[in-house]
Each structure stands twice: as structure tokens, then as C-alpha cells.
Amino acid sequence: FLFPSEINFGAIKELYALKLAIVLLILVLIIEIIYFALYSYYSYTTFQIETVRQERKQIELQLKALKSQLSPHFLFNSLNTISSLVFKDKKMAEGFIRKLAELYQYTLSSYQKKLTTLQDELDFVDSYQYLLKIRFGEKFECQVEVDSELLNTKIPPLTLQMLIENAVKHNVLDKSDPLKVKVFTDKKYIIVKNNITRKPKKVTSFQIGLKNINSRYLLLHEEGIAITNGENFQVKLPLIS
């Protein structure tokens, strides 16, 4: 006989079904592996692109902050102050030049820094407010009260100085109504507060400096700055561990 008398078609059907199931399972696994590989590559490239975009945005904001510190207006005022001091008090003129050099050295070195320690920023503020004190005398006061345990926390560079500069720019400084700036810490925050005197003429506020600081914070930290504008003007900045 060419064929066996009895053929178990049920067993053959089950065997082919099993083989087909194994083949389908292998195909599904291959498709899943390919999909996972492609998805992982897509996620990685997307993350890299977003990282580069944020890095570029950060550099742009740092550059804008740097340009504001190197403004011809500030340099012109500083040179005028030096010129007047040379004939009045040479020792004070020397101190002014030294502090101005420290200020610009810090400004230029902070260009590529995303964050700086609170201690370094306060040293920078000390140099800056020294220049303002010589320039405005009794018209300007700056008080700094910072918890020493927070000196190693970090903030975006040039932020405190920009806030003090903002206060000087948008208030009239007068002996009878001096500008009083206070820099102090409150738990995990540092606050810059100033009284409001009179608005100077021909000064329009576009809040560019505040937007710059807030944008840098949002790129580096989950929390932005908080602004209070009432009897006093106050900006609250998170300290980054």
C-alpha cells in the first residue's frame, strides 16, 4: 500500500498549528524588538535635541545677562566716577578701580556657568554695591543678611546684581528718601527687597531683566521666581542645592 491505512489528521493539524504559533510568536518578538529599538533611538535623539535646544537657550540668556553688565551706560558712569575721584580722593579712586575690575572679572568668567554658589554671587554683589555706595553716597543703602549654612547653595550667576541694578534704575535716589535694598535668606530662598521712591523720568520698564532671570530658573529648576510689587518691590528666588 502507498499510504498507511490510518492517518491521524487531528495530530497533524495540531502539529502544524503549534509550528504556526511558534512562527507567529517569533515574528511578534522580532517586531517588538525592532519597535523597541526604534522607539529607544527616537527617544534618545529627541532627548539629545531638547538638551541641545535648552543649552542654546541657556547660553542666549547668559549672553543677554552678560551684555547688560557690560553696557556702555554703566561703564560711562563708572569712568565718570573714577575721573571725579582722582582729584578728590586717590585712595578711594584706587579702591573703586579695584572693585570695578573684580566686577568685570566675575562677569566675564560667569558667561559659561549655569550656576554659581551663593557665596560667589554675594562677593560679586559686595563689589557692585561698593561702587554704588561711592557713586550715590547716602542716597543708597544695601543690607545683606544671609544664613551662613546656605552659602554653598547655588543660583544663576548675575541674578542678585541684576535685581539691585533694577532697583537703582527704576527709583529716584535722594538723600531725603534714599533707596534701601535688603538681601536676605528665608529657608530655601533668597530675597531682594527695596523700597519704592519716585519713578525717574524717561525710564520705561519692560521687565527684561526679570524675564531673563525667571527664564534661566525655569531651564535649570522646576520653580521660577516670585515677584511682589506693593509698598516694597520684592523678588524671591529659590536656592538650588
Side-chain angles (χ1 to χ4, degrees):
F1 295 92
L2 296 176
F3 301 99
S5 57
E6 293 184 3
I7 300 177
N8 191 341
F9 288 103
I12 295 173
K13 184 178 179 181
E14 289 180 3
L15 179 61
Y16 278 106
L18 179 61
K19 289 181 178 180
L20 180 61
I22 293 173
V23 170
L24 289 174
L25 179 61
I26 293 172
L27 286 174
V28 169
L29 288 174
I30 292 173
I31 292 171
E32 287 289 332
I33 291 171
I34 293 173
Y35 172 80
F36 179 75
L38 292 174
Y39 179 77
S40 297
Y41 178 75
Y42 172 78
S43 299
Y44 174 76
T45 53
T46 302
F47 175 76
Q48 290 295 104
I49 292 171
E50 184 61 29
T51 300
V52 171
R53 185 181 290 114
Q54 289 194 0
E55 288 283 346
R56 182 177 178 180
K57 181 67 175 177
Q58 180 67 31
I59 290 172
E60 289 175 354
L61 291 168
Q62 292 284 92
L63 183 58
K64 286 181 180 178
L66 177 63
K67 285 180 178 178
S68 72
Q69 308 314 307
L70 300 176
S71 65
H73 181 69
F74 174 75
L75 184 59
F76 178 77
N77 288 332
S78 297
L79 292 176
N80 273 343
T81 303
I82 293 170
S83 178
S84 63
L85 285 175
V86 166
F87 298 100
K88 294 179 181 179
D89 191 329
K90 290 185 178 180
K91 187 174 182 181
M92 186 176 290
E94 182 182 344
F96 189 95
I97 294 171
R98 188 180 297 110
K99 290 294 184 180
L100 184 63
E102 291 175 1
L103 187 147
Y104 274 103
Q105 181 181 8
Y106 178 85
T107 299
L108 293 172
S109 66
S110 67
Y111 168 57
Q112 293 185 335
K113 290 182 180 179
K114 294 180 181 179
L115 294 168
T116 188
T117 64
L118 180 59
Q119 177 67 73
D120 288 343
E121 185 74 1
L122 289 173
D123 290 341
F124 176 62
V125 166
D126 180 68
S127 296
Y128 182 66
Q129 67 113 349
Y130 177 86
L131 303 184
L132 294 177
K133 190 65 180 175
I134 290 180
R135 181 180 166 193
F136 295 110
E138 297 177 2
K139 300 176 184 178
F140 173 79
E141 297 177 16
C142 184
Q143 182 182 2
V144 179
E145 295 180 0
V146 173
D147 187 346
S148 59
E149 294 181 358
L150 299 172
L151 292 175
N152 289 324
T153 57
K154 296 182 178 181
I155 60 173
L158 308 177
T159 52
L160 299 182
Q161 186 272 339
M162 287 178 74
L163 293 175
I164 296 174
E165 182 183 37
N166 188 67
V168 173
K169 180 181 177 182
H170 293 96
N171 289 278
V172 173
L173 281 69
D174 191 90
K175 284 185 179 180
S176 60
D177 190 15
L179 177 66
K180 299 178 181 180
V181 179
K182 185 176 182 180
V183 181
F184 61 99
T185 50
D186 180 16
K187 297 179 182 178
K188 292 294 183 178
Y189 295 90
I190 186 159
I191 299 167
V192 179
K193 181 173 72 172
N194 65 271
N195 62 319
I196 299 173
T197 61
R198 290 176 289 121
K199 285 188 177 182
K201 297 178 180 179
K202 298 181 180 180
V203 174
T204 303
S205 176
F206 296 104
Q207 295 191 337
I208 295 174
L210 293 174
K211 289 177 181 177
N212 180 289
I213 295 171
N214 192 55
S215 296
R216 283 193 286 159
Y217 258 102
L218 293 176
L219 282 172
L220 299 167
H221 195 57
E222 67 276 5
E223 184 180 2
I225 66 175
I227 301 170
T228 303
N229 192 0
E231 183 178 349
N232 296 298
F233 187 82
Q234 176 178 294
V235 181
K236 187 176 182 180
L237 308 101
L239 292 170
I240 302 172
S241 300

